[in-house]
Each structure stands twice: as structure tokens, then as C-alpha cells.
Amino acid sequence: MLIIPAIDLKDGACVRLRQGRMDDSTVFSDDPVSMAAKWVDAGCRRLHLVDLNGAFEGQPVNGEVVAAIARRYPNLPIQIGGGIRSLETIEHYVKAGVSYVIIGTKAVKQPEFVGEACRAFPGRIIVGLDAKDGFVATDGWAEVSALQVVDLAKRFEADGVAAIVYTDIAKDGMMQGCNVPATVALANATGIPVIASGGIHNLGDIQALLDTRTPGIVGAITGRAIYEGTLDVAEAQALCDLKYKVE
């Protein structure tokens, strides 16, 4: 299981939100490239970038910052989400050196777009499913649909998506632990690898995911915890690697 540091971009700065609220953000750095360097130096093997402005506006806003990080670390897998609603945007990010592009809102509103994107960019498409009380939220979490997360995820099984990033909005940024039962249920319900997101606070939360022995959970995204120092990236990745070696 990979520990994946999150760099959330708002107005060119690195921030963290609480429960997806743009008006409840904490700025951790005005230099996202240097922040990426910090996590790379700590031994991370993938970065999770989110264009928060883009998620609300429906098109990339912090794309230049994303490209700058990709140029700095051309051999590091990077996944980007936020405002990705067209094949042209996906192509732009792929050409900029991004490894994976996360489709969120568009996957909910036009599920057929996921298959189209997977055919155009095989192996590079991740679906982001953000849930509030089990229902999928869209548009930067401003709207909640009538779709259940598991039901929607199953629609993408035949499309060839690389993974699903699953976030429980109620947990995100609150550092109270991620929604382990819902993450496990999603991983077990589909054949798509799942990346856990939202609420990870400390090493105990990583251990809780590992203890489920769910092979479909392949990563855990962490944000506020690593910025506030309650979780150490290197220590968390070492725990995951040890678990893998033991088993």
C-alpha cells in the first residue's frame, strides 16, 4: 500500500480544507513545488495533487503549478484531480508529465466519459468518488447526487480505470480516521483498486487499513496529518512495506 501525500492547490498556494469547504482552508505553503520536494525527500512514491479552484470552476486553474512539479520530478508518478471535464484537459496534463488524471464530477454526471477517456488514455484514468452519507458528491462537493458510491463504481469496472480514489467528505480534513468499513466495502464490491482518502490522522489509521487485509486497497492519501506532524510519511510507508514483506 502506498502512502500518497496530498498537495491541494488554491490560488497557487498549498492548502488544506476541512470537509471540502473553500472558506475553511489552512495555507501551509506558498511554494507547492518546494512542498512536493519535502515529500519526495521523505520517500513518497506518488503525489496526489488537487486543483481546488478548478474543481469549482470546472476547468484547470492551477495547471502551471502542476506542470512545474511534474517537470521537477519527471520519474515520480503524479495524479491530479480538480476541474477535469474534457479529453483536451487530460491530454494537456499527460503531455505535462502527469501519470494519472482523476475524473470526479464528470464521472458522475456523464459516466460514459470515463470509458471514452480510458480508451484515449489507457492506464492513466482514475475515478474520484467522494461520498456524503454514502451518496456521491460533485462540483467540489457542493452538490450531492442520488447515486450510491458502490453502485456507481460498478459501472466503471469494464472501462479499465486504473483506480478509484474514495473520500468520505465527513472525514476529510478532520483527522478523525478514515471511513475504513466503507473503503473496504467498496474495494470488495468491485475489481477496481481503491485508494483511501479523507481523515487519516496517525499511524494507527494506516494500521487500521492494513489490518483489514483487503488486497484491493492499494493506497492511502494523507494531507493535514503530514502537514501538522501527526503522521510521518517515511514511517507510514515503512509500516506498509513491512506488512507486505511479512505477508
Side-chain angles (χ1 to χ4, degrees):
M1 188 171 82
L2 290 178
I3 300 300
I4 309 174
I7 297 178
D8 288 2
L9 303 167
K10 179 186 178 188
D11 305 328
C14 175
V15 309
R16 291 301 293 171
L17 307 185
R18 293 184 188 275
Q19 297 181 325
R21 297 194 297 268
M22 288 288 271
D23 60 352
D24 191 356
S25 64
T26 303
V27 177
F28 285 102
S29 173
D30 59 3
D31 187 350
V33 178
S34 293
M35 187 58 70
K38 178 178 180 177
W39 305 133
V40 171
D41 291 344
C44 80
R45 298 171 197 162
R46 185 185 293 197
L47 282 176
H48 176 78
L49 308 184
V50 180
D51 183 347
L52 293 172
N53 301 107
F56 281 89
E57 295 191 22
Q59 60 185 4
V61 175
N62 294 284
E64 286 303 314
V65 177
V66 175
I69 294 173
R71 284 194 301 270
R72 177 80 173 268
Y73 298 103
N75 298 318
L76 179 72
I78 293 172
Q79 58 191 50
I80 171 69
I84 298 167
R85 314 277 169 89
S86 71
L87 294 180
E88 290 74 20
T89 298
I90 296 173
E91 182 178 23
H92 169 78
Y93 277 129
V94 169
K95 285 184 176 179
V98 172
S99 301
Y100 304 98
V101 174
I102 303 168
I103 302 173
T105 294
K106 187 91 168 184
V108 180
K109 295 186 173 181
Q110 290 181 245
E112 65 278 3
F113 176 72
V114 173
E116 185 181 354
C118 286
R119 289 188 294 274
F121 304 96
R124 293 184 177 272
I125 304 302
I126 292 175
V127 170
L129 296 182
D130 308 321
K132 187 170 185 179
D133 300 323
F135 292 92
V136 179
T138 63
D139 298 284
W141 301 350
E143 298 181 15
V144 179
S145 73
L147 296 167
Q148 290 277 358
V149 169
V150 171
D151 292 339
L152 182 58
K154 288 180 178 179
R155 294 186 60 173
F156 302 125
E157 283 187 295
D159 289 328
V161 300
I164 289 174
V165 171
Y166 172 68
T167 307
D168 185 322
I169 296 171
K171 297 284 189 178
D172 189 71
M174 304 306 288
M175 301 215 305
Q176 298 172 350
C178 66
N179 190 332
V180 175
T183 304
V184 170
L186 179 60
N188 287 335
T190 75
I192 304 172
V194 173
I195 298 171
S197 174
I200 289 174
H201 175 55
N202 55 30
L203 210 58
D205 295 325
I206 302 300
Q207 187 68 61
L209 284 169
L210 294 172
D211 285 345
T212 68
R213 299 176 181 271
T214 307
I217 300 176
V218 299
I221 294 169
T222 175
R224 186 173 291 272
I226 58 175
Y227 290 96
E228 296 190 354
T230 61
L231 181 70
D232 181 89
V233 170
E235 186 180 15
Q237 187 60 65
L239 176 65
C240 295
D241 293 346
L242 176 64
K243 183 81 171 181
Y244 177 77
K245 289 177 181 178
V246 169
E247 297 186 353

